């Protein structure tokens, strides 16, 4: 079972997060800290106690925007220790996901926090620590000691949990805790950002937790082609192919994307077939 610390400088949000965590039977204890100083003091005591000590902490659920040090600052400080606790970021802002990934965060949960989404973050932390991955069978009860039956968490790939396709022509994305569906036909290109991918449309972009390599495989039949290790492009959305000084690039709307040498010839052939076919 997990020993967790939740950190948020907004008291109502901290109390709600602690309520949800304490309601999960996989959580042994959940403490709260309302600022970075209190959080660092508590984690330092945990590290001094050791992994089996009375004050040990397994996971820190960490807000990003706080007065003074941010959650990212705290995570960077903790990364300097030999055996730091795991980090789960809990934030209203999707724009820090790539930095969170770089800091080896276990998960990135958007506010307002949904119980089932937080339960998935707990499952991932349990899996990384090699702990039991049993999930609560129902909605939170508010008392972690109340017992109750539990069922095994569905062992699905992360991509299926967080960005599962509602239908073959749509992909689900999360924005501020709300799930919306984006038509694949509206996506011009995809940009790799670590284990995440940013989907670009005419209206804006959406960050999803799924590798570009997975989307490349899924969407090949829809005319998406890899042009670079960072970019997957909808062939029909390419407005212009440019060859300058031995380099190749494409214009997709207002974006100009570099084409790697290994993909350049294949892309030219595909564009020719597309234009004449």
């Amino acid at each position: 079972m997990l020993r967790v610390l939740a950190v948020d400088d907004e008291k109502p949000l901290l109390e709600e997060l602690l309520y949800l965590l304490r309601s999960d039977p996989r959580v042994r204890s959940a403490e709260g800290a309302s600022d970075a100083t209190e959080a660092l003091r508590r984690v330092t005591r945990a590290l001094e106690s050791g992994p089996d000590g009375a004050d040990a902490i397994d996971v820190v659920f960490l807000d990003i925007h706080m007065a003074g040090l941010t959650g990212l600052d705290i995570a960077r400080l903790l990364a300097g220790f030999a055996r730091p606790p795991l980090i789960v970021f809990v934030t209203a802002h999707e724009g820090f996901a790539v930095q969170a990934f770089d800091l080896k965060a276990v998960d990135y949960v958007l506010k307002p926090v949904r119980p089932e989404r937080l339960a998935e973050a707990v499952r991932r932390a349990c899996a990384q620590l090699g702990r039991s991955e049993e999930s609560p069978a129902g909605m939170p009860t508010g008392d972690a000691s109340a017992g109750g039956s539990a069922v095994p968490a569905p062992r699905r790939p992360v991509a299926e949990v967080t960005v599962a396709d509602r239908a073959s022509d749509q992909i689900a994305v999360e924005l501020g805790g709300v799930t919306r569906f984006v038509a694949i036909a509206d996506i011009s290109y995809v940009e790799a950002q670590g284990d995440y991918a940013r989907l670009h449309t005419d209206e804006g972009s959406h960050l999803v937790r799924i590798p570009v390599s997975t989307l490349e495989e899924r969407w090949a039949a829809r005319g998406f082609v890899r042009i670079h290790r960072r970019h997957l492009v909808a062939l029909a959305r390419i407005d212009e192919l440019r060859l300058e000084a031995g380099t190749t690039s494409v214009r997709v709307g207002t974006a100009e994307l570099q084409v790697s040498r290994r993909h350049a010839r294949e892309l030219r052939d595909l564009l020719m077939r597309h234009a004449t076919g």
Side-chain angles (χ1 to χ4, degrees), residues 165-189:
D165 291 349
R166 179 175 67 172
S168 60
D169 60 345
Q170 293 178 314
I171 185 169
V173 300
E174 285 190 15
L175 181 60
V178 177
T179 300
R180 58 169 296 193
F181 294 90
V182 175
I184 296 172
D186 291 340
I187 298 170
S188 301
Y189 67 96

Side-chain angles (χ1 to χ4, degrees), residues 251-271:
R251 182 172 61 82
V252 181
T254 59
E256 184 171 347
L257 308 175
Q258 184 180 354
V259 180
S260 67
R261 290 186 178 181
R262 64 184 292 243
H263 292 105
R265 176 172 294 182
E266 180 185 3
L267 177 63
R268 289 196 296 268
D269 292 342
L270 286 170
L271 286 172

Side-chain angles (χ1 to χ4, degrees), residues 122-193:
V122 171
R123 186 197 69 79
R124 292 178 187 171
C126 287
Q128 189 154 329
L129 290 168
R131 307 286 174 83
S132 169
E133 293 184 22
E134 289 187 339
S135 295
M139 293 299 290
T141 63
D143 183 359
S145 63
S149 61
V151 297
R155 298 182 66 84
R156 295 182 294 170
V158 168
E160 292 184 6
V161 173
T162 57
V163 290
D165 291 349
R166 179 175 67 172
S168 60
D169 60 345
Q170 293 178 314
I171 185 169
V173 300
E174 285 190 15
L175 181 60
V178 177
T179 300
R180 58 169 296 193
F181 294 90
V182 175
I184 296 172
D186 291 340
I187 298 170
S188 301
Y189 67 96
V190 182
E191 181 182 2
Q193 295 186 343

Side-chain angles (χ1 to χ4, degrees), residues 28-229:
R28 179 194 301 178
S29 63
E31 302 178 50
S34 58
D35 58 47
T37 301
E38 184 182 356
L40 288 172
R41 185 182 300 119
R42 179 62 186 86
V43 172
T44 299
R45 190 165 78 245
L47 293 170
E48 291 173 347
S49 173
D52 299 319
D55 294 322
I57 293 174
D58 300 306
V59 190
V60 179
F61 288 77
L62 189 57
D63 186 25
I64 289 182
H65 276 293
M66 296 186 292
L69 291 177
T70 69
L72 294 170
D73 294 330
I74 295 174
R76 292 187 186 100
L77 288 172
L78 295 182
F81 290 93
R83 298 185 64 179
L86 299 180
I87 299 293
V88 172
F89 285 105
V90 183
T91 177
H93 306 275
E94 68 167 3
F96 298 99
V98 174
Q99 295 179 60
F101 169 77
D102 289 340
L103 290 168
K104 311 301 182 186
V106 172
D107 207 347
Y108 190 90
V109 179
L110 290 173
K111 297 178 182 178
V113 177
R114 293 180 288 114
E116 64 272 20
R117 184 65 185 85
L118 187 66
E120 170 61 15
V122 171
R123 186 197 69 79
R124 292 178 187 171
C126 287
Q128 189 154 329
L129 290 168
R131 307 286 174 83
S132 169
E133 293 184 22
E134 289 187 339
S135 295
M139 293 299 290
T141 63
D143 183 359
S145 63
S149 61
V151 297
R155 298 182 66 84
R156 295 182 294 170
V158 168
E160 292 184 6
V161 173
T162 57
V163 290
D165 291 349
R166 179 175 67 172
S168 60
D169 60 345
Q170 293 178 314
I171 185 169
V173 300
E174 285 190 15
L175 181 60
V178 177
T179 300
R180 58 169 296 193
F181 294 90
V182 175
I184 296 172
D186 291 340
I187 298 170
S188 301
Y189 67 96
V190 182
E191 181 182 2
Q193 295 186 343
D195 273 359
Y196 293 78
R198 184 168 293 279
L199 313 177
H200 291 266
T201 70
D202 292 339
E203 286 73 35
S205 67
H206 308 277
L207 193 68
V208 294
R209 183 168 181 158
I210 182 170
V212 167
S213 57
T214 301
L215 295 179
E216 179 184 9
E217 181 179 343
R218 287 185 184 179
W219 294 353
R222 295 180 171 274
F224 280 80
V225 296
R226 194 70 171 261
I227 64 168
H228 191 273
R229 62 184 177 84

